[in-house]
């Protein structure tokens, strides 16, 4: 056989293989699209609630036209992204701490302001919106989907409206604290454990004997306890807020810093009296048997448990002292923000409250990967011997003596599919048939006020235009004047870089070298890159790589957002301060803003009307109109006049605005106190003008 014939034969064979792969992928795509529409319950799984939290009762929630069908909503609610909070069997049968009622009972779920659902095709066990079953390495877990934090509800006079992509009213901290207590009560009460074990085994799924149930309950209780300790904050988040970045940062540090770095931190830790915090012998005992490079969930839980242990040789630290250790190894997540609304996210140039994430190229996939790391993606990262791997190369570990293998439960393919689903989501229109008709004359007057006071930052877009582009306008924290905690933490929080010490990492102003103690934003960038570059370990070899290539290829080539310079008025990045532009907040289009209370990035203003008022300063007259300095959060009962939720007359979470992280100052354009982007200050709006502007804001 001649060389040319041999080459032709090989090329012919290769073309056949490529054709088969292409056909297989097309067929899989068609089947996948059809599968997404198998669950089309006309009520989208929603259920009525009688005498729920804060005395609320409502009929089965309705939906507004947002571009999604019943099947679209249900697929979004019930598609896993690879989150595993605890074993699925445990969540199904776990009892509440002080009764035999199930933890997942509608009344309990409603108390934490998650949205209860009835069983449907994709949700046969009737989990709440955004709670989902995920299977990883042969075991089933309950985890969160995007919808848990990004599906809202507005109640009005016994009616309820579900808002797809709207901000959740959820109290995640309350849920996780209560979950920990329920698991501890099950471990402590023999009768409770007997019922729990019998019910878990009766499911005939992942467990066959009580000892196996006991061991896993201990392990997962330790994991959730660890998470709650590492993320304890003196700032009470309450309802409708979460410091997601702070928690993602801590989860990354938990899996990155190595044993040597942890030892150094514990050795150098001092008490306020400058006395040594821990003796060398105590540190040795606490770290005995801990892995050198990767400290996983179980091992960090072991460290925390040993630090608090009263057995001989251990430090027996109080909770207060455990927080001292936490503060030395991690960062307090003390900057809770409102859950952002998701419509127009795929059409945005930059996302996150401080514009941290570019939406160009693979940006959405990296952003969503970081999010799943924060909401309980199972991170089976392992130390391995150096070899060429794309994940090691892209994450900067090519020349390391050891490398991190980024195996995890994170489902990259589904993350891409979920992002695609959001492209068709539209903002909700003001429902005049429920809240009352808009006044066209007031709307027009408000439109002119908006053009003068708001539009330079908050552009107008067509909510249904297929080619719409949402441009984020960034304003420096010094100029906009709102609470600085979230933006400052994103830049200033630091931690041990572990195996990523001295890697090179690109920034907009050039490459930087990651120090041993580095900004966590650098470490987060490295690990999300590594996870994105790692195919799904739960799939067979061929499908694993085909899915990975398809996901990355489509994420890049199917993305209409191109790399661009941020718009707005902010301090640019420099070689000395490569993340300075993140010390700013994003203004975005306000279509559907009526459905997204409370307001400002940290949820510190309860209604649109209050947002148009000034923050009361010490020398201001007492009889003026000002933003409330404290108010209640938790009710979904809507006020269509002021445009916000009811914030007095019930026992929800008291929002106190004098605490750092909760400040309600700034963004006082309508009050004539905050200058426009060009530096001019407009006169304060009159009372009549405020109502005109609100009428217009309802209409967009």
């Amino acid at each position: 056989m001649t060389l040319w014939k041999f080459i032709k034969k090989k090329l012919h064979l290769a073309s056949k293989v490529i054709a088969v792969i292409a056909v297989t992928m097309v067929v899989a795509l068609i089947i996948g699209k059809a599968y997404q529409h198998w669950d089309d319950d006309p009520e989208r799984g929603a259920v009525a609630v009688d005498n729920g939290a804060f005395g609320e009762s409502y009929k089965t929630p309705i939906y507004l036209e947002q571009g999604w069908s019943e099947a679209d909503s249900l697929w979004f609610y019930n598609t896993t992204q690879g989150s595993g909070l605890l074993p699925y069997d445990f969540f199904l049968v776990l009892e509440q701490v002080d009764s035999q009622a199930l933890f997942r009972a509608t009344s309990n779920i409603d108390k934490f302001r998650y949205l209860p659902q009835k069983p449907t095709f994709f949700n046969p066990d009737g989990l709440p919106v955004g709670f989902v079953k995920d299977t990883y390495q042969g075991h089933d877990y309950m985890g969160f989907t995007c919808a848990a934090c990004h599906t809202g509800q507005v109640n009005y006079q016994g009616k309820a409206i579900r808002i797809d992509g709207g901000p959740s009213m959820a109290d995640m901290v309350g849920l996780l604290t209560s979950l920990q207590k329920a698991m501890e009560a099950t471990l402590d009460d023999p009768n409770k454990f007997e019922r729990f074990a019998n019910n878990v085994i009766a499911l005939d799924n992942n467990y066959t004997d009580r000892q196996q149930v006991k061991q896993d309950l201990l392990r997962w209780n330790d994991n959730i306890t660890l998470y709650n300790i590492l993320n304890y904050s003196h700032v009470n988040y309450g309802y409708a807020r979460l410091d997601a970045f702070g928690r993602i940062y801590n989860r990354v540090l938990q899996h990155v810093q190595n044993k040597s770095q942890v030892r150094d931190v514990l050795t150098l830790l001092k008490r306020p009296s400058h006395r040594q915090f821990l003796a060398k012998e105590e540190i040795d005992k606490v770290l005995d048997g801990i892995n050198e490079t990767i400290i996983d969930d179980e091992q960090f839980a072991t460290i925390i448990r040993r630090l608090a242990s009263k057995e001989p040789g251990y430090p027996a630290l109080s909770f207060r002292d455990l927080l001292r250790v936490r503060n030395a190894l991690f960062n307090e997540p003390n900057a809770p923000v409102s859950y952002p609304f998701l419509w127009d996210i795929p059409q945005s140039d930059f996302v996150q409250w401080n514009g941290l994430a570019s939406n160009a190229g693979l940006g959405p996939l990296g952003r969503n990967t970081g999010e799943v790391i924060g909401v309980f993606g199972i991170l089976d990262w392992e130390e391995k011997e150096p070899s060429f791997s794309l994940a090691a190369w892209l994450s900067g570990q090519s020349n390391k003596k050891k490398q991190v293998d980024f195996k995890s439960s994170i489902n990259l393919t589904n993350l891409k599919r979920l992002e695609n689903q959001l492209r068709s989501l539209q903002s909700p229109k003001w429902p005049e048939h429920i809240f009352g008709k808009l006044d066209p004359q007031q709307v027009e007057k408000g439109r002119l006020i908006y053009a003068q006071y708001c539009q330079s930052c908050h552009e107008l877009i067509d909510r249904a235009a297929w080619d719409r582009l949402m441009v984020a306008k960034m304003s420096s924290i010094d100029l906009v004047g709102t609470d600085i905690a979230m933006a400052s933490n994103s830049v200033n929080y630091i931690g041990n870089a572990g195996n990523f010490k001295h890697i090179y990492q690109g920034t907009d102003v050039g490459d930087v070298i990651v120090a041993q103690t580095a900004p966590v934003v650098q470490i987060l960038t490295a690990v999300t890159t590594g996870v994105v570059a790692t195919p799904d370990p739960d799939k067979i070899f061929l499908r694993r790589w085909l899915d990975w290539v398809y996901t990355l290829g489509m994420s890049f080539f199917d993305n209409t957002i191109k790399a661009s310079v941020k718009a707005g008025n902010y301090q640019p990045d420099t070689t000395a301060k490569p993340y300075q532009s993140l010390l700013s907040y994003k203004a975005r289009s306000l279509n559907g803003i009526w459905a997204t209370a409370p307001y400002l990035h940290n949820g510190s203003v309860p209604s649109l009307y209050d947002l148009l008022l000034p923050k009361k300063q010490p020398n201001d007259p007492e009889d003026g109109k000002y933003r409330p300095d404290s108010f209640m959060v938790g009710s979904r009962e809507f006020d269509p006049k002021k445009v916000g939720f009811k914030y007095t007359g019930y026992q929800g979470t008291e929002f106190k605005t004098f605490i750092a992280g909760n400040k309600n100052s700034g963004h006082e354009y309508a009050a004539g106190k905050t200058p426009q982007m060009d530096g001019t200050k407009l006169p304060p709006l009159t009372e009549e003008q405020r109502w005109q502007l609100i009428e217009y804001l309802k209409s967009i």
Side-chain angles (χ1 to χ4, degrees), residues 97-174:
V97 65
D98 53 0
S99 75
Q100 295 185 34
L102 290 179
F103 188 88
R104 65 188 181 100
T106 292
S107 59
N108 200 44
I109 291 300
D110 181 65
K111 181 176 69 175
F112 299 113
R113 306 273 75 178
Y114 289 97
L115 299 169
Q117 293 281 89
K118 65 183 179 183
T120 62
F121 179 80
F122 284 142
N123 183 20
D125 293 309
L127 302 184
V129 169
F131 289 53
V132 71
K133 179 181 180 180
D134 181 73
T135 300
Y136 173 68
Q137 302 288 280
H139 292 271
D140 296 332
Y141 299 94
M142 190 287 288
F144 292 119
T145 75
C146 307
C149 299
H150 303 288
T151 306
Q153 182 167 307
V154 173
N155 298 345
Y156 184 63
Q157 297 180 350
K159 298 178 181 178
I161 306 169
R162 286 274 171 91
I163 309 292
D164 279 335
S168 171
M169 186 66 76
D171 175 12
M172 182 180 282
V173 175

Side-chain angles (χ1 to χ4, degrees), residues 609 613-617 619-628 687 690:
Y609 177 81
L613 299 175
K615 158 75 175 174
K616 187 179 185 303
Q617 301 299 332
N619 295 327
D620 287 336
E622 294 297 326
D623 59 352
K625 288 189 173 182
Y626 308 103
R627 297 172 180 176
E687 182 72 0
R690 292 188 195 111

Side-chain angles (χ1 to χ4, degrees), residues 489-501:
N489 289 358
S490 72
V491 173
N492 296 326
Y493 271 0
I494 59 175
N496 285 315
N499 210 50
F500 302 96
K501 174 186 174 182

Side-chain angles (χ1 to χ4, degrees), residues 426-694:
Q426 299 173 10
S427 57
K429 287 185 176 178
W430 179 265
E432 292 186 300
H433 62 293
I434 297 176
F435 297 151
K437 290 190 174 295
L438 301 175
D439 184 328
Q441 292 183 338
Q442 291 289 88
V443 168
E444 176 58 21
K445 291 177 180 178
R447 183 184 70 83
L448 297 177
I449 296 170
Y450 185 93
Q452 185 180 14
Y453 279 77
C454 312
Q455 199 164 328
S456 62
C457 291
H458 299 285
E459 288 188 327
L460 295 174
I461 63 172
D462 180 350
R463 63 191 286 273
W466 67 269
D467 61 345
R468 66 189 184 274
L469 178 63
M470 210 289 292
V471 179
K473 299 290 184 68
M474 306 305 302
S475 293
S476 165
I477 55 177
D478 296 328
L479 296 175
V480 72
T482 50
D483 190 283
I484 69 170
M486 183 268 167
S488 296
N489 289 358
S490 72
V491 173
N492 296 326
Y493 271 0
I494 59 175
N496 285 315
N499 210 50
F500 302 96
K501 174 186 174 182
H502 291 173
I503 67 168
Y504 289 85
Q505 190 171 101
T507 73
D508 288 343
V509 292
D511 287 354
V512 297
I513 298 175
V514 177
Q516 174 168 320
T517 303
V520 188
V521 65
Q522 293 179 349
I523 307 170
L524 174 61
T525 300
V527 301
T528 53
T529 301
V531 173
V532 168
T534 302
D536 189 341
D538 259 5
K539 297 172 181 173
I540 61 173
F541 180 83
L542 182 60
R543 186 187 170 196
R544 177 188 312 167
W545 284 97
L546 287 176
D547 276 2
W548 181 79
V549 170
Y550 172 80
T551 299
L552 265 66
M554 292 302 293
S555 294
F556 186 82
F557 293 109
D558 195 36
N559 190 350
T560 60
I561 303 299
K562 309 303 180 187
S564 62
V565 175
K566 289 179 182 177
N569 193 352
Y570 58 91
Q571 294 296 313
D573 296 330
T574 66
T575 54
K577 298 180 178 180
Y579 306 106
Q580 188 167 235
S581 65
L582 299 179
L583 296 174
S584 57
Y585 289 122
K586 177 191 70 177
R588 57 171 291 177
S589 299
L590 297 182
N591 46 307
I593 195 67
W594 66 268
T596 67
Y599 297 101
L600 291 184
H601 74 277
N602 61 346
S604 59
V605 180
S607 74
L608 286 180
Y609 177 81
D610 293 309
L611 185 63
L612 302 182
L613 299 175
K615 158 75 175 174
K616 187 179 185 303
Q617 301 299 332
N619 295 327
D620 287 336
E622 294 297 326
D623 59 352
K625 288 189 173 182
Y626 308 103
R627 297 172 180 176
D629 284 332
S630 66
F631 55 93
M632 304 308 296
V633 184
S635 173
R636 293 196 184 102
E637 188 65 21
F638 192 65
D639 179 349
K641 183 173 176 61
K642 286 189 171 183
V643 188
F645 292 112
K646 178 181 178 183
Y647 60 87
T648 60
Y650 64 96
Q651 296 299 314
T653 301
E654 184 178 5
F655 196 114
K656 300 177 180 179
T657 64
F658 62 84
I659 300 171
N662 287 1
K663 298 292 182 64
N664 66 343
S665 56
H667 197 280
E668 296 172 273
Y669 301 99
K673 292 190 174 185
T674 304
Q676 298 285 315
M677 279 198 175
D678 63 4
T680 63
K681 283 187 181 180
L682 297 173
L685 297 181
T686 65
E687 182 72 0
E688 182 181 21
Q689 288 173 320
R690 292 188 195 111
W691 293 117
Q692 290 168 350
L693 179 54
I694 288 172

Side-chain angles (χ1 to χ4, degrees), residues 309-462:
S309 175
K310 296 180 180 178
E311 293 181 11
Y314 290 115
L317 298 185
S318 65
F319 183 74
R320 183 175 181 180
D321 282 340
L322 283 178
L323 291 182
R324 292 182 189 275
V325 174
R326 188 282 305 270
N327 292 342
L329 291 169
F330 301 91
N331 300 283
E332 180 184 350
N334 57 9
V337 296
S338 295
Y339 299 105
F341 48 100
L342 294 188
W343 47 85
D344 307 321
I345 285 295
Q347 294 86 7
S348 300
D349 58 349
F350 288 88
V351 295
Q352 307 296 2
W353 286 112
N354 64 337
L356 183 146
S358 168
N359 239 6
L362 296 178
L365 192 61
R367 159 173 52 87
N368 289 321
T369 296
E371 177 256 330
V372 187
I373 288 174
V375 289
F376 314 109
I378 299 173
L379 308 179
D380 284 335
W381 299 351
E382 297 175 342
E383 172 189 303
K384 68 174 186 175
E385 294 300 315
S387 63
F388 176 78
S389 78
L390 189 61
W393 178 58
L394 291 176
S395 62
Q397 300 180 86
S398 297
N399 298 322
K400 293 292 182 179
K401 293 181 180 179
K402 299 289 184 180
Q403 293 175 349
V404 175
D405 177 8
F406 291 100
K407 176 184 173 184
S408 75
S409 66
I410 297 171
N411 193 318
L412 298 176
T413 302
N414 277 1
L415 291 181
K416 168 60 181 166
R417 296 167 72 203
L418 288 162
E419 188 77 11
N420 282 350
Q421 180 79 357
L422 288 174
R423 291 184 181 181
S424 58
L425 180 66
Q426 299 173 10
S427 57
K429 287 185 176 178
W430 179 265
E432 292 186 300
H433 62 293
I434 297 176
F435 297 151
K437 290 190 174 295
L438 301 175
D439 184 328
Q441 292 183 338
Q442 291 289 88
V443 168
E444 176 58 21
K445 291 177 180 178
R447 183 184 70 83
L448 297 177
I449 296 170
Y450 185 93
Q452 185 180 14
Y453 279 77
C454 312
Q455 199 164 328
S456 62
C457 291
H458 299 285
E459 288 188 327
L460 295 174
I461 63 172
D462 180 350

